[in-house]
Amino acid sequence: QVQLVESGGGLVQPGGSLRLSCTASGDIYSIHAMGWYRQAEGNERDLVARITRDGTSTYADSVKGRSSVSGDNAKNSVDLQMDSLKPDDTAMYFCYALITESYAGKIGPLRNYWGRGTQVTVSS
C-alpha cells in the first residue's frame, strides 16, 4: 500500500503565491511520475502539472508561466509553486503519483495513487 500526504493549501489573495507539497510513502519500488490535479466545485478533475522521474514537466495551459513543479526522487516528493494566483485557481488540489509498488521486496504492480486533497482558495 502507498499513501500520498499533501500540505500547503490555504486562503490566498488574488496575485498571491502558494506552494503545495506532497510526499509518497509505503510499499514503493519506484515512482515514475508525480504531480497535481485540481477539481473546482461542479467541474471535473483536471491536470495542473506533473513531473516525471527524469525531470520532464507538463503544465495545464491555464497555469503555464505562473507555476513550477519540482520533484525530489530521493524523498519521493513533489512541490508545486503557484504564483499570480487567480480566483479561477480556487479548487481542491490532489497529489498524484504513478508508482510501481513493492511486494515482498520485489517488483509489484503499476498503479495510480491519489492524495486526499488540499483546498486552495483565491479570494480577496
Side-chain angles (χ1 to χ4, degrees):
Q1 186 64 250
V2 174
Q3 59 184 3
L4 307 180
V5 179
E6 305 141 318
S7 64
L11 176 63
V12 186
Q13 293 184 348
S17 298
L18 206 63
R19 190 174 187 89
L20 305 180
S21 297
C22 176
T23 300
S25 62
D27 301 324
I28 299 170
Y29 188 88
S30 63
I31 299 179
H32 307 279
M34 295 187 72
W36 291 90
Y37 286 68
R38 67 186 181 187
Q39 185 169 19
E41 185 176 358
N43 294 347
E44 64 183 17
R45 186 177 299 184
D46 295 322
L47 173 71
V48 181
R50 70 191 291 271
I51 186 168
T52 62
R53 185 173 182 85
D54 67 356
T56 302
S57 300
T58 303
Y59 298 92
D61 289 341
S62 59
V63 303
K64 285 182 180 177
R66 303 188 294 120
S67 299
S68 179
V69 64
S70 59
D72 188 326
N73 292 330
K75 297 180 179 179
N76 293 335
S77 67
V78 63
D79 290 350
L80 178 65
Q81 176 70 40
M82 301 188 68
D83 303 318
S84 301
L85 286 163
K86 307 173 181 179
D88 284 348
D89 293 319
T90 296
M92 184 72 73
Y93 284 69
F94 296 90
C95 180
Y96 147 86
L98 178 60
I99 294 174
T100 295
E101 297 177 355
S102 176
Y103 180 76
K106 302 294 183 179
I107 298 175
L110 179 68
R111 299 188 190 277
N112 290 307
Y113 275 88
W114 296 93
R116 296 175 61 186
T118 183
Q119 178 68 37
V120 172
T121 301
V122 184
S123 176
S124 59

